[in-house]
Amino acid sequence: MNQLSVQLPRMALLLTHLSRRLQPTHSLQLAGRALSRSSSARLCSAPLPSPLCDEHSRRVCRRPGAAPALAVRRLHTGDRRAGKVVPFLLSDIGEGIVEVVIKEWYVKEGDSVSQFDSLCEVQSDKASVTITSRYDGVVRKLYYSVDDMARVGQPLVDIESEPGSSDSEDEVQERDAIAVVGGEHYVLPTPTKVLTTPAVRRIAMENNVVLGEVRGTGKDGRILKEDVLRYVQEKEKGKPPKETAPAAPKKPAVQEVPKEAPKAPVETVAPRAQTVLLAEDKTAPVSGFTKAMVKAMKLSMTVPHFGYCDEIEMTTLVNLRPALKKSAEAFGVKFSYMPVIIKACSMALLQYPVLNASVDAACENITYKASHNIGIAMDTPNGLVVPNVKQVQNLTVLEVAQELNRLQALGARGQLTAADLAGGTFSLSNIGAIGGTYAKPVIVPPEVAIGAIGRIQKLPRFAADGSVVAAHVMQVSWSADHRVIDGATMARFSNVMKAFLEQPAAMLLQMK
């Protein structure tokens, strides 16, 4: 009993001491993350025995006897009086790409940016990609100049985040759809993907237009330059912007085919290339699309090619083209012979699906493709590219023309995306556009065939009665993988396509 009476005062003293230690921490927990650094410091000023502060705490605490700084450091969310400079890393853009060339900067040092604003456009060896911001803040440093090579995973820009942002910047960088609020994670709604080009995004940014509020009138809701300008004009007039739906295709008027054959297409002379006189040898790295072409051609040389050539009498289609061109203009579509050739090619592939196939590296398996994604080789300022018109078997000739117009416009600006270039199953090269007649096209693996379309020439030919007539003739050259395609199959395929082009009426009857 005497021993218990001696221990009770000691226990009471210990409990009093513990309550004095826990009181400031309990207050901090009630205050939570809403308290600023200054208010947290005032809470830490409750007097405690100095032995409770270790050497680190004495360095941090301004006054002797302050609470350990560990509790404060665990609870505060960052300095809200100044933003934090965050290095924005160039993320993986897929397709095994490890380096890109900076094509254009949309911002400069000192510019303010918001999330999803365009920072720059980069060029890989496969496509152009627009890099967008993940932060709200101010651009403090650009690590590269135009035409510099940037590597994936390395800093691209430094962005000073807006004051009041959390210390968890790196987490926001890795998880764009996650925000850290009060120590808990809330999944933000995923932003709606806007279909448009980098040039249109730049126009929208310069006019402070939120693209999500603009109704696109292009294919699949794509926002065009005209849509943004119309939105800006209506906004300046004080009217609510009209959500103009894509115009319904007008029914083309039936037009009679001219009885007299029109004049032969005027052969335009290509503009003469600028003469460049070098004072000394110049060495430049192989990059961009040229680098991709090097890789593709190395694979192509492992394929045993064989060639097949034929000529197609295009007189009927030449006579029909003025009517088709005028009808297409009513839809705002530029019409040429190429959409008809692409569609005829697709209809012939329905009869010979082996030509719309791919083989594996060891040529042990052949995959017959359900989709006719027909690639069109294009000569662009960045080099040779082969974007493809997808699902041609399900498209009308007019829809093929629309998609071809879009790809040609993007190719001329060097803005084709990886999606435009991927997934091809069969390819055509329109060498006639630059005056070519014959060619020996090179297969693009893993495809098994490719065709080269020559220019249409007005040449003398014998008619059925033996008289000499003027005919519009187009040469076509084919290359095929001789491991899986024989010459007879290639010839039969060419004959089917030839029949469709020489007799467009028969093609119309069989078109789905």
Side-chain angles (χ1 to χ4, degrees):
M1 187 68 178
N2 292 336
Q3 185 177 4
L4 182 60
S5 62
V6 172
Q7 292 180 352
L8 283 174
R10 292 180 180 177
M11 293 175 64
L13 180 61
L14 179 60
L15 289 173
T16 303
H17 181 66
L18 287 174
S19 65
R20 294 176 62 188
R21 286 190 60 185
L22 294 174
Q23 184 177 359
T25 304
H26 180 64
S27 302
L28 283 172
Q29 291 173 345
L30 292 176
R33 297 175 68 95
L35 296 176
S36 63
R37 189 184 291 267
S38 60
S39 61
S40 298
R42 289 196 297 271
L43 288 171
C44 293
S45 62
L48 287 177
S50 59
L52 295 176
C53 288
D54 56 12
E55 182 180 355
H56 174 71
S57 300
R58 290 194 191 99
R59 290 198 303 269
V60 177
C61 296
R62 296 300 181 186
R63 290 179 287 178
L70 182 59
V72 178
R73 295 177 63 203
R74 185 177 68 246
L75 293 174
H76 85 82
T77 61
D79 188 353
R80 298 182 182 270
R81 294 167 296 178
K84 177 182 178 181
V85 176
V86 183
F88 181 92
L89 305 182
L90 178 60
S91 59
D92 184 7
I93 56 180
E95 301 287 335
I97 296 168
V98 296
E99 60 184 14
V100 295
V101 177
I102 305 295
K103 287 187 62 179
E104 182 179 4
W105 282 106
Y106 298 139
V107 296
K108 59 181 181 297
E109 293 180 1
D111 283 356
S112 297
V113 294
S114 301
Q115 287 191 49
F116 309 112
D117 281 355
S118 298
L119 296 177
C120 64
E121 185 177 351
V122 299
Q123 175 72 61
S124 71
D125 58 358
K126 297 183 179 181
S128 296
V129 179
T130 300
I131 305 298
T132 57
S133 175
R134 295 171 180 167
Y135 306 108
D136 297 333
V138 179
V139 177
R140 291 304 179 198
K141 180 179 179 181
L142 304 181
Y143 281 84
Y144 303 98
S145 301
V146 175
D147 294 332
D148 283 354
M149 187 73 71
R151 293 191 64 82
V152 171
Q154 298 300 315
L156 187 65
V157 297
D158 281 349
I159 298 178
E160 182 180 349
S161 58
E162 292 182 348
S165 59
S166 169
D167 277 349
S168 303
E169 303 282 359
D170 294 336
E171 185 171 6
V172 177
Q173 178 176 350
E174 296 300 325
R175 306 173 187 175
D176 294 340
I178 299 284
V180 181
V181 182
E184 300 181 14
H185 294 270
Y186 297 90
V187 179
L188 299 177
T190 304
T192 304
K193 183 177 180 181
V194 176
L195 295 177
T196 188
T197 63
V200 175
R201 291 182 186 277
R202 186 171 187 179
I203 294 172
M205 182 176 62
E206 292 172 350
N207 291 277
N208 297 320
V209 172
V210 179
L211 287 174
E213 300 176 357
V214 181
R215 180 67 179 268
T217 59
K219 184 179 180 181
D220 298 328
R222 184 176 297 273
I223 297 176
L224 309 177
K225 176 182 176 182
E226 294 76 11
D227 299 329
V228 176
L229 296 179
R230 186 188 309 112
Y231 181 93
V232 172
Q233 291 174 358
E234 294 178 352
K235 193 174 181 181
E236 290 176 351
K237 294 177 181 178
K239 298 179 182 179
K242 298 178 182 178
E243 292 190 358
T244 53
K250 300 178 182 178
K251 189 175 181 180
V254 178
Q255 300 181 11
E256 296 182 358
V257 179
K259 294 181 180 179
E260 296 181 1
K263 297 180 180 179
V266 179
E267 298 184 5
T268 57
V269 180
R272 186 176 180 180
Q274 183 179 0
T275 303
V276 178
L277 182 62
L278 296 177
E280 57 185 11
D281 294 347
K282 178 183 177 182
T283 302
V286 176
S287 61
F289 290 140
T290 305
K291 193 171 184 179
M293 187 165 60
V294 170
K295 296 177 183 178
M297 291 304 100
K298 285 182 179 179
L299 291 175
S300 296
M301 291 300 100
T302 65
V303 177
H305 288 56
F306 80 89
Y308 178 84
C309 298
D310 201 354
E311 68 175 34
I312 301 174
E313 222 264 58
M314 300 282 285
T315 303
T316 304
L317 188 58
V318 168
N319 294 338
L320 186 61
R321 183 178 178 242
L324 296 174
K325 183 178 180 181
K326 189 171 182 179
S327 296
E329 287 175 352
F331 296 90
V333 177
K334 183 179 178 182
F335 193 83
S336 65
Y337 296 106
M338 204 62 195
V340 182
I341 295 171
I342 293 172
K343 186 62 181 180
C345 181
S346 174
M347 294 175 66
L349 289 174
L350 291 173
Q351 299 185 32
Y352 296 94
V354 69
L355 293 170
N356 192 60
S358 65
V359 293
D360 56 18
C363 200
E364 295 178 348
N365 298 286
I366 182 168
T367 302
Y368 295 87
K369 301 292 186 177
S371 298
H372 294 177
N373 299 341
I374 299 182
I376 307 299
M378 294 183 181
D379 181 26
T380 72
N382 295 322
L384 176 67
V385 294
V386 189
N388 58 82
V389 180
K390 293 179 171 56
Q391 301 280 340
V392 176
Q393 79 278 7
N394 296 328
L395 301 180
T396 65
V397 174
L398 182 64
E399 289 170 335
V400 173
Q402 279 182 315
E403 180 64 6
L404 189 60
N405 286 178
R406 184 185 72 85
L407 293 174
Q408 289 171 334
L410 291 176
R413 297 195 299 266
Q415 295 174 348
L416 289 166
T417 66
D420 295 325
L421 299 168
T425 62
F426 188 92
S427 296
L428 294 174
S429 176
N430 185 15
I431 59 169
I434 54 175
T437 305
Y438 296 94
K440 186 180 179 182
V442 180
I443 298 170
V444 183
E447 297 173 17
V448 295
I450 185 174
I453 308 300
R455 74 180 187 272
I456 298 176
Q457 304 176 86
K458 193 172 183 179
L459 301 173
R461 288 293 185 267
F462 286 103
D465 59 359
S467 61
V468 177
V469 297
H472 294 87
V473 178
M474 181 182 75
Q475 312 294 340
V476 60
S477 307
W478 303 104
S479 290
D481 186 341
H482 217 333
R483 296 174 297 179
V484 293
I485 299 172
D486 55 39
T489 301
M490 189 77 253
R492 293 188 182 102
F493 164 82
S494 182
N495 289 339
V496 172
M497 179 177 166
K498 176 179 179 179
F500 285 141
L501 293 176
E502 290 185 344
Q503 302 174 21
M507 176 180 171
L508 180 64
L509 288 175
Q510 299 184 42
M511 192 181 299
K512 292 183 179 180

